Every structure is written in C-alpha cells, then in structure tokens.
Amino acid sequence: MAKLLVTGGKELEGTVNVSGAKNAILPILAASLLTSDKIVLDEAPDLLDVDVMSQVIECLGGKVKRNGKRLHVVNKQIKSIETPFDLISKMRASIFIMGPMLARTGRVRISHPGGCAIGSRPINFHLKGLECLGAQVRMDHGFLDVSAPKLKGARIYLDFPSVGATENIMMAACCAEGTTLIENAAQEPEIVDLANFINEMGGKIKGAGTNIIHIEGVKELHGTSHTIIPDRIEAGTFILMAAACGGEVLVRNVIPAHLKPLLAKLNEAGVIYKEEDEGIRVMGKGCYNAVDIKTQVHPGFPTDLQAPALAMLTKANGTAVVTETVFENRFMHVDELKRMGANIKIEGRSAIVQGIDNMYAATVVASDLRAGAALILAALIANGTSEIREIHHIERGYDNLDGKLRGLGAEINKVD
Ligand code: EPZ
C-alpha cells in the first residue's frame, strides 16, 4: 500500500493553484443525467471520487471522457437503473444519482450507502424529500428501490440543512410538474454551483445559497459547458498549512467570500494574510494564539476544515476548544495526533487542545480524507520524518496534494 513520508520543520514558499471543488463536481456529474445532450465540465479535479462517480455514470449507460482538466460527459441513453454495490459502497456521494434518475427515468435502484469513518450518515432527509415529490421508496434486500411515475412540486421543510439532501431534492424537482420550495435548505457554495449548472441547462432555480430555494419545474433540460468553482476546502487546507509551517505562500484560484469563516478565525489567531487579485497570500509565522472553533453548517466554520485546523492548534499558545456539531464521529485524527505528542482530550463533542512546543514524527494512519490532511499538516510541523498510511483516503478528495506541497518546498514523498 502506498504511504507518504513527510519530514517536518521546513517553511513553505511559493504559489499553489487550487483545483476545482470535489463537493461541487460530484453532484454536478450526477446532474448531467438530467439531459441526453453533451456536457462539458472545466476545472474538473483529478480525484478518485471523480473516477468513481464517472464509473457510476458509465454503469447507467453514460460516457465520461477526460481531457486534462476538462470532462466530456454524455448520457444519451439510460441503459440501467441500478448501480453495482461495490461502487456505491466506495463513495457515499453516489446517492446523488437518485434525484436526477427519478427525474430522467422515474426509477432508481441503489444500495443503501453505508456509513463511514466520520459517522453513520443516514439518508432519511433525502428519502423524505423525494417522497414529498411523489416518489415511493422500498427497501429490497439492502437495495433502495425508488420509483416516481410522476414527480410533482411540493413544499419541503428540511429537519436539518443537509447539503446532499438539498442537492438531491433540487435535482429531482427541476423537471417536476409545478413548483417546489425547499425550506431550511443548506447554503454551501457548492449548492450554488449546482443550481447555476442546472440553470445553464435551462432550469429555473432561485435562492440557492440562502435557506429557501424556489424551483420551477421545466419540461426538459439541454446540454451546457460549465466551469467548476474552486475547492474552498483545499484552499483552506493550504492556508492552514502555510500558516502552521511559516513562510510566504500565495494560494491562487480561490473565491475569498467562500473562505470567510476560516479567515475570520485565522485573524483571531493572529495569522497574517492578504486578499490579493490573484488569491490569498499567507505570511505564516508558525505559531499563533489558541482559538476556539465550533463547526457549523455554512456560513459557519466548515466541518471539513476542522481536522486540519485542529492539527495547527496542537502548537498554539494556550488551550483551544474545538467542537464538532455536524458529524458525530469526526475526531478520528485526534488519537493519531496524540501519537505525535499532541496534548488533546475529548469531552463529548469537543476536543480540548493544549498547545505544546514540539510535535514529533511518528507512523500514523489516515481514517478519512480530512483527517489525512490534518496528519500531513502535523507531520510538516513535527521534528523528524513521519510515515502516513492509508493515503487513498487523501487521494479521494485532494488533487495531487503531495506534489503541490513539494512545489512549495515541503519534504514529502509518496512511496509504495
Ligand atoms: C456533504 O456531505 C459533503 N460531501 C461533506 O464533505 C461535508 O462534510 C458535508 O456535506 C457537510 O458540509 C459532499 O458534498 C460529497 P450532510 P453530506 O447531508 O451531504 C446528517 C468531505 O470531507 N444527515 O450535510 O453527506 C449527517 O449524518 C465530505 O469532503 C442525516 O442525518 O452532508 C451529518 O451528521 C465529508 N440524514 C449531517 O446531517 C440525512 O438524510 C450533515 O450531513 C442526511 C444527513
């Protein structure tokens, strides 16, 4: 199995280009099922998850061809309504095909996605929303068999502003008969990118990015070309790494408005950065005041940056309280950080991080992609050479992270 060897103690210097957003392209690839016309997606990140979603599309009868950062997608004919278990179990985001498949064919069979390291991750809000639109959901030997001869617009109130449920309902509703209102909708920027993509296909969606989304069903959708928004979580990860390692790094291809929750928190910690036309320039100095972090749905502090931020706080001046409110088990990185010398105590949904002067290298295991990023950050600020295993988790969601870090002067190498 491949692993990463990381030698800490070096500052980062130079410019890094952020790739397109994983959490935007995955629902957008699913939304390509809504039309039989050609779709072109630019700034498509080269990720394992994008490969898996492409395989899901091809199992249904579609074609996906990559040409550098450009994906050509066409779903001329839907040849199957079922996707193989092993693909769904590989990536939870495959559930995004439910909405578009119901809109396109009126039927979809999908194995109930399991949980993962960060939590049980049920899909009850997805199913409730689709049922409000007229779908029938049947459990059949571990498979969800969802059918909807006719989707009709409805008023749907989400118990929780779930990103995936908001996206699935939006994709099912865009060709339903009549109007749909999604209240208490998630407001993440990736939802806005999906809504823009569907509107470019001829959809009529208003209010994406707020907690009330208004969708007027249209007869059919046509092909389009779309550029995926930059990945705010990858950008935030590099900003945290630059701050923690010291040195000056320009993080390019970012939308500063998407990074507000992180930048506000880093300001509080004493991180010096400048918003420039080209991106965010970080003048890292390697040590900061401890700051409390509480993850929230957007526009709160993103749960996907909790792990890397906590890793940076292991060497802060003082004690930080990091509270995870979105997922029930998203502290898997803590035990690994403690093996590198970090002083962290878990109390309920919070991690109490007592800043220390030195972290030391160790062999650690990534449990999910953001925990993996946290371990890389910790290894970059630890004394000695760490070994990070199970790095396939990292490659699911970060496009060439080790290569980009080497470009900034980090001593990081992938070995089999
Ligand atoms: C999306 O997951 C992202 N994934 C996650 O990114 C991100 O952490 C999450 O949104 C929150 O921002 C993609 O977009 C592919 P949710 P999603 O539905 O849609 C519970 C990463 O690291 N819930 O907003 O699954 C759920 O268990 C990944 O890039 C239900 O209870 O997130 C969780 O506790 C990780 N029932 C909370 O809501 C449901 O039907 C938030 O989940 C759906 C969700």
Side-chain angles (χ1 to χ4, degrees):
M1 291 288 266
K3 55 194 174 190
L4 286 171
L5 295 180
V6 184
T7 303
K10 300 182 75 175
E11 290 198 345
L12 299 182
E13 292 289 342
T15 298
V16 62
N17 290 308
V18 172
S19 301
K22 166 180 89 80
N23 293 346
I25 192 166
L26 293 178
I28 284 173
L29 272 172
S32 71
L33 291 159
L34 289 165
T35 179
S36 56
D37 290 355
K38 288 195 178 83
I39 298 282
V40 175
L41 299 176
D42 281 316
E43 290 303 313
D46 188 4
L47 304 171
L48 295 183
D49 274 7
V50 171
D51 299 344
V52 172
M53 186 57 93
S54 302
Q55 289 164 37
V56 169
I57 297 248
E58 295 195 330
C59 285
L60 299 171
K63 286 251 168 308
V64 183
K65 202 163 94 18
R66 177 180 282 275
N67 179 2
K69 290 186 186 177
R70 172 169 283 187
L71 283 188
H72 295 271
V73 190
V74 63
N75 296 284
K76 208 145 186 57
Q77 250 184 327
I78 303 291
K79 297 199 177 101
S80 163
I81 55 131
E82 182 170 330
T83 41
F85 171 79
D86 66 341
L87 282 182
I88 307 294
S89 58
K90 252 189 210 164
M91 182 186 66
R92 170 191 163 79
S94 348
I95 55 171
F96 288 146
I97 64 167
M98 285 197 291
M101 281 294 284
L102 288 178
R104 178 84 185 265
T105 69
R107 182 94 189 280
V108 63
R109 265 175 69 82
I110 181 166
S111 71
H112 198 291
C116 67
I118 61 178
S120 61
R121 301 187 76 179
I123 57 169
N124 52 320
F125 303 148
H126 297 244
L127 300 178
K128 189 177 138 197
L130 297 175
E131 284 170 333
C132 286
L133 295 171
Q136 284 92 37
V137 178
R138 203 166 48 85
M139 192 63 144
D140 168 22
H141 299 83
F143 270 77
L144 284 166
D145 196 317
V146 190
S147 55
K150 181 172 214 33
L151 288 166
K152 284 171 76 71
R155 185 170 183 160
I156 299 165
Y157 192 92
L158 286 177
D159 298 353
F160 177 88
S162 152
V163 171
T166 302
E167 292 168 336
N168 240 331
I169 294 165
M170 208 159 81
M171 292 189 278
C174 60
C175 297
E177 189 187 283
T179 302
T180 296
L181 211 54
I182 306 175
E183 297 180 277
N184 196 27
Q187 305 178 50
E188 275 67 6
E190 292 75 25
I191 290 173
V192 178
D193 204 29
L194 173 63
N196 290 341
F197 173 68
I198 294 173
N199 286 341
E200 288 154 18
M201 293 165 81
K204 289 192 177 142
I205 300 175
K206 291 200 191 82
T210 74
N211 62 356
I212 298 183
I213 301 177
H214 183 279
I215 303 149
E216 198 184 318
V218 295
K219 273 262 168 297
E220 66 172 3
L221 296 171
H222 52 72
T224 188
S225 295
H226 180 80
T227 300
I228 303 293
I229 55 168
D231 192 318
R232 62 192 167 102
I233 304 301
E234 182 191 6
T237 304
F238 279 116
I239 290 169
L240 285 161
M241 287 174 169
C245 294
E248 184 170 321
V249 173
L250 175 63
V251 181
R252 294 182 63 225
N253 192 31
V254 299
I255 299 174
H258 292 174
L259 289 162
K260 271 198 179 144
L262 171 71
L263 296 174
K265 194 48 73 175
L266 292 180
N267 221 9
E268 203 185 315
V271 175
I272 300 165
Y273 66 84
K274 240 168 51 189
E275 285 183 33
E276 298 180 354
D277 294 345
E278 278 203 272
I280 306 262
R281 185 178 299 276
V282 184
M283 279 69 85
K285 60 180 195 310
C287 197
Y288 303 97
N289 313 322
V291 285
D292 294 345
I293 291 175
K294 185 171 186 179
T295 66
Q296 303 278 5
V297 296
H298 196 74
F301 190 93
T303 173
D304 294 344
L305 286 176
Q306 178 258 104
L310 192 154
M312 183 181 110
L313 291 169
T314 55
K315 286 181 71 177
N317 298 322
T319 301
V321 178
V322 179
T323 304
E324 173 57 58
T325 71
V326 178
F327 287 101
E328 71 262 27
N329 182 32
R330 204 169 198 178
F331 283 132
M332 306 282 278
H333 41 291
V334 166
D335 282 344
E336 298 304 298
L337 292 172
K338 286 165 76 170
R339 301 180 59 244
M340 299 173 77
N343 180 343
I344 308 171
K345 210 150 65 60
I346 301 285
E347 283 180 10
R349 301 203 72 157
S350 296
I352 318 295
V353 187
Q354 179 92 35
I356 55 171
D357 294 336
N358 286 303
M359 293 270 277
Y360 45 77
T363 297
V364 288
V365 180
S367 53
D368 62 271
L369 74 153
R370 308 304 174 188
L375 297 179
I376 293 176
L377 187 152
L380 289 169
I381 58 174
N383 300 330
T385 300
S386 299
E387 188 177 300
I388 300 172
R389 298 187 174 177
E390 305 293 317
I391 60 169
H392 58 280
H393 290 295
I394 302 169
E395 291 166 344
R396 284 190 49 186
Y398 285 98
D399 186 347
N400 187 26
L401 182 54
D402 57 312
K404 288 174 178 172
L405 282 169
R406 267 194 305 279
L408 293 173
E411 210 172 312
I412 176 170
N413 291 296
K414 190 159 123 175
V415 292
D416 279 324

